[in-house]
Structure formats: structure tokens, C-alpha cells
Amino acid sequence: MATIAFNQVSKRYDENTTALNALSLQIDDGEFIVLVGPSGCGKSTVLRLLAGLEQPSEGEIAIDDKVVNDLMPQQRNIAMVFQNYALYPHMSVRDNLAFPLRMHHMGKQAINTRVNEIAQLLNLAELLQRRPKQLSGGQKQRVAMGRALVRDPSVFLLDEPLSNLDARLRSQIRADIAQLQLRLRKTTIYVTHDQIEAMTLGHRVAVMNRGELQQIGTPEQLYNRPQNIFVASFIGNPGMNIATTEVFAQNNDLHAAVCGQTLHLPSAVQGYNELSRSENVGYIGVRPEAFRLSQVDGCVALKAYISAVEYLGAESLVYFHLSSHDHAHDNTTWIARINGHVDATIDQSIEIFLDPGAIHWFNSDGSNAIFDTCQSVQPRR
Ligand code: ADP
């Protein structure tokens, strides 16, 4: 059982590389936190600092309110699963699982009991005599998890644990990991660049970019109330459509100019008051799933022409430009995600519909213009 706190933690590997900048983060006991962001944004550095494999350049790291900066990795009771699993190839699965216990001089009988327990938990009982090269990718992954959990660590760290698996296996093992975490209730930090893994696994998700925490919140908070354009574009697949806009008042009503068209914003729309007061709004954001191809009450219509349609079975992705060929003010490509099959041809002119309440608004500096998202940094209780 463990709580974790990062207090203004920075890591510079050399003068030119700030891998992590002033990270502050509180993690509750038993919480499942996912760190997500593009490659090189500092996610693994966070894990390595917590595990004691790297020293912070600044700041404090605490486990259960005790600062651990000066503790050796083996004194921290943390287990880590690496991307490449790092199993010992010459040892059987049983010996791989037993290894951390032998290093701690546990008795033979106790080791056997514990290894059998963990093999049961991870469905490895049939595989105990095999060598790693006789295992599938998914089985190796389970052995690596078993080896990490066998000593009953208080914190469990996973660094891109599914990246060597094919898509089908990934979603299956993802579900297994979620279930295991729920059962063991161990404080877990999971690193991935894949926003789907982040959204499906994390109680809270921390989005990082360029060594900085952008936002931490529940998957719903990140999806519905992204703090800035980076989070808005990173979470969701395909990402949010973003375009420049200008919001202006006319005849006591608000309007937004987007790609040469004008959207009328009814006063009932969420964020209307903030929009009418703000002079900084610079960007409009629309999730692909917020568009419709037929009119629904309260929706505004936009003129669009289609540039491509991708049929994915349950849904179609419709790529389009606003305005028409001849009057293209802006060549932003927008994406709509539409249920089922879309019968349309390329270059076809259509009307596309949008609920103005589903629009996100951002200031010129990229921050959210409507929501104060600060509350989402608190741990889940
Ligand atoms: P991520 O896990 O998000 O891909 P990392 O934490 O591994 O990112 O790396 C963050 C940044 O720090 C990157 O720019 C990376 O090149 C740099 N970095 C990581 N490890 C080292 C190291 N040992 N020495 C120098 N630079 C490093």
C-alpha cells in the first residue's frame, strides 16, 4: 500500500535536455495512474526517478509521505515491468518468477508456495517448466508481470508493457491488467504513448508533453474538459478538429467566424457568458463525433465539401473542407465520425451539422477559454 508524491521534480540529463520540468503530482493509495504523451516527453523518466534508477536534478519524491530521494532502488519496494520484459532466457518460467525471492533469501518452501500463488493469479501454472523462448509474446508479458508482483511490491510500474504485442492481444491483455489491478489494488503507474490504453486503463490519466504535465484528470475530464489544445488533440481518436476562429457580437448575439463561414451561437450554449466576456478566444475545437449529416434540433449547419471517406465497418470517417472549392478560405481538413456507411462521393457538396454546445473554445495561447480545469488535479477519493 502506498501513496506517491512528486513535488516540483525536474530532471536534466545534460545542459540541453530537460527531460522533466517541475512535475508536481499526488497519487492515492491503490490508484491506477496512466502517464501518456508522445515519445520523448519524459514518461519513462518519471518511472525511473520513482524507481530510483535516476536521481532528480531538483525536487522531492515521497512514498507514503517519506522522501525517498536518497533511498537505493532496492529500498523502495517498487517493481517495474519493462517494455522488452527482460526475462532471463536460460531460466525456466518457475526460476524467472523465483529469482527476486531467491535474491531476498527467502526459504525454498516459501518460494515454491509464492511462485505457485503468482502462477495461479496470472494463469501461468501450465507454463512453469518452459523457457522464455518457448512462450508467446502474451505469455512472456504475463511472466514479466508475475516476476514484478511476486515480491508483493507496494508500487507497481509498467513501461509500455504492451508495445510488443499485436493489436488483438493488446486489447485482451489490457483488460487482464485492469482486472488484476482492481483485484490487487496496488498503486500502479503505467506509461504509454497510446491514448486508447490510457483512457481504458487509468483511474486518472496524466497527459505530458515536452517534459511538462499538461493535465491530470479522469478520462471523462480529459475528453470533455481538455485544459489546452495539446490535450484536446491528443485525447480522442481521431483527435479533435482545431481551427482558428474569431468570436464577435452582432445584433446582441454571438457569432464565430470559422474558415470563411459564420456560426450563430445561441445564448443557451455552454460557455456563452465566458465567450461574450473574453477577447482572447483564438481557436475552435470540434470532436469528429460531434458532427451529424442530418439536421438535429438545435444544430447549426455548415457548408462543406467532402475530400475523402473511409469506411471502417461500424462507422465512417468523413474528411471535409468548409466552404466550397472556389471559395476555400482555409484548407483545414476536418474529420467527422459518422455511424455506419456514408454514401458520398469525393468533392460532393454537403451540409454538415453541429451542436454549438459541443464546441470547445481555446484562447490564442492554447488554453481552454471556458473551463477552469484546475479541480481535476486532485486525487480521486
Ligand atoms: P518517453 O518515455 O516519454 O519516451 P523519456 O523519459 O525516455 O521519454 O525521455 C525524455 C527525454 O530525455 C528525451 O528527450 C530523451 O531523449 C532524454 N533522455 C532519456 N534518457 C536519457 C539519458 N540517459 N541521457 C540523456 N538523455 C536522455
Side-chain angles (χ1 to χ4, degrees):
M1 298 303 233
T3 60
I4 295 167
F6 285 80
N7 189 6
Q8 294 287 310
V9 174
S10 297
K11 175 67 182 173
R12 282 180 291 279
Y13 286 105
D14 54 54
E15 273 173 34
N16 302 321
T17 320
T18 301
L20 193 65
N21 190 20
L23 174 71
S24 288
L25 182 62
Q26 261 83 47
I27 300 175
D28 252 0
D29 179 39
E31 210 178 0
F32 194 153
I33 290 281
V34 179
L35 302 182
V36 68
S39 179
C41 73
K43 307 179 295 289
S44 301
T45 297
V46 175
L47 291 197
R48 295 173 63 78
L49 288 167
L50 181 59
L53 305 174
E54 300 286 353
Q55 281 300 311
S57 312
E58 278 153 30
E60 279 180 349
I61 301 173
I63 300 177
D64 280 335
D65 298 326
K66 184 171 158 229
V67 175
V68 296
N69 288 41
D70 295 330
L71 291 189
M72 300 294 288
Q74 58 274 22
Q75 295 171 304
R76 299 189 185 196
N77 198 19
I78 287 177
M80 188 153 166
V81 175
F82 296 93
Q83 191 170 347
N84 59 8
Y85 313 143
L87 300 177
Y88 300 111
H90 57 288
M91 288 186 194
S92 66
V93 169
R94 176 178 288 286
D95 288 340
N96 265 285
L97 293 175
F99 188 79
L101 304 177
R102 287 211 187 100
M103 295 310 284
H104 277 77
H105 310 292
M106 197 188 244
K108 208 167 169 189
Q109 194 53 47
I111 290 182
N112 257 336
T113 309
R114 181 65 185 146
V115 166
N116 290 342
E117 243 172 55
I118 242 8
Q120 208 66 43
L121 179 73
L122 286 159
N123 219 356
L124 293 167
E126 311 290 308
L127 308 172
L128 286 171
Q129 303 317 318
R130 294 203 194 165
R131 297 274 168 93
K133 68 167 187 267
Q134 298 168 303
L135 302 174
S136 69
Q139 291 167 337
K140 279 187 206 153
Q141 209 280 334
R142 296 213 303 275
V143 177
M145 297 230 301
R147 199 181 52 181
L149 289 171
V150 75
R151 277 190 49 225
D152 199 20
S154 49
V155 180
F156 190 31
L157 307 181
L158 299 115
D159 193 352
E160 303 259 6
L162 307 184
S163 56
N164 291 324
L165 306 175
D166 65 48
R168 181 185 290 254
L169 203 54
R170 266 209 305 269
S171 61
Q172 185 191 323
I173 296 191
R174 201 168 69 205
D176 291 345
I177 291 177
Q179 214 173 42
L180 187 70
Q181 204 277 342
L182 198 66
R183 232 159 94 191
L184 301 177
R185 293 231 160 258
K186 245 178 226 318
T187 311
T188 301
I189 309 184
Y190 183 109
V191 157
T192 180
H193 63 273
D194 180 330
Q195 59 94 24
I196 296 181
E197 270 175 37
M199 296 292 274
T200 50
L201 284 172
H203 298 159
R204 284 188 304 156
V205 176
V207 182
M208 296 182 59
N209 190 31
R210 298 177 179 211
E212 300 206 347
L213 179 64
Q214 303 291 310
Q215 184 172 4
I216 176 160
T218 62
E220 292 83 0
Q221 284 168 336
L222 295 181
Y223 181 82
N224 292 319
R225 301 184 157 221
Q227 185 145 301
N228 57 37
I229 288 183
F230 180 83
V231 176
S233 320
F234 197 83
I235 298 294
N237 186 28
M240 189 184 283
N241 298 286
I242 305 278
T244 52
T245 190
E246 207 176 313
V247 175
F248 59 95
Q250 200 173 49
N251 305 332
N252 289 332
D253 266 341
L254 276 189
H255 297 78
V258 187
C259 300
Q261 297 193 39
T262 302
L263 288 176
H264 173 241
L265 305 174
S267 58
V269 94
Q270 174 153 254
Y272 188 91
N273 290 336
E274 288 83 349
L275 282 178
S276 54
R277 280 198 299 266
S278 171
E279 287 174 2
N280 291 328
V281 178
Y283 296 94
I284 181 173
V286 183
R287 294 225 174 263
E289 41 279 27
F291 287 111
R292 304 270 172 276
L293 290 184
S294 49
Q295 178 63 286
V296 180
D297 256 5
C299 282
V300 291
L302 290 161
K303 284 197 221 68
Y305 70 93
I306 291 179
S307 54
V309 178
E310 288 176 351
Y311 174 58
L312 304 175
E315 62 195 17
S316 301
L317 299 181
V318 178
Y319 295 73
F320 63 95
H321 293 260
L322 292 178
S323 188
S324 69
H325 264 313
D326 335 332
H327 306 103
H329 289 257
D330 185 309
N331 50 14
T332 307
T333 302
W334 296 69
I335 305 181
R337 186 170 167 175
I338 306 289
N339 280 340
H341 182 257
V342 171
D343 204 8
T345 52
I346 292 173
D347 283 347
Q348 186 181 336
S349 252
I350 57 163
E351 270 196 317
I352 199 149
F353 300 91
L354 173 62
D355 171 3
I359 299 176
H360 297 251
W361 303 95
F362 300 95
N363 294 318
S364 309
D365 67 359
S367 60
N368 197 311
I370 306 296
F371 297 127
D372 171 14
T373 48
C374 292
Q375 77 279 11
S376 59
V377 300
Q378 293 308 317
R380 174 186 59 107
R381 291 278 165 203

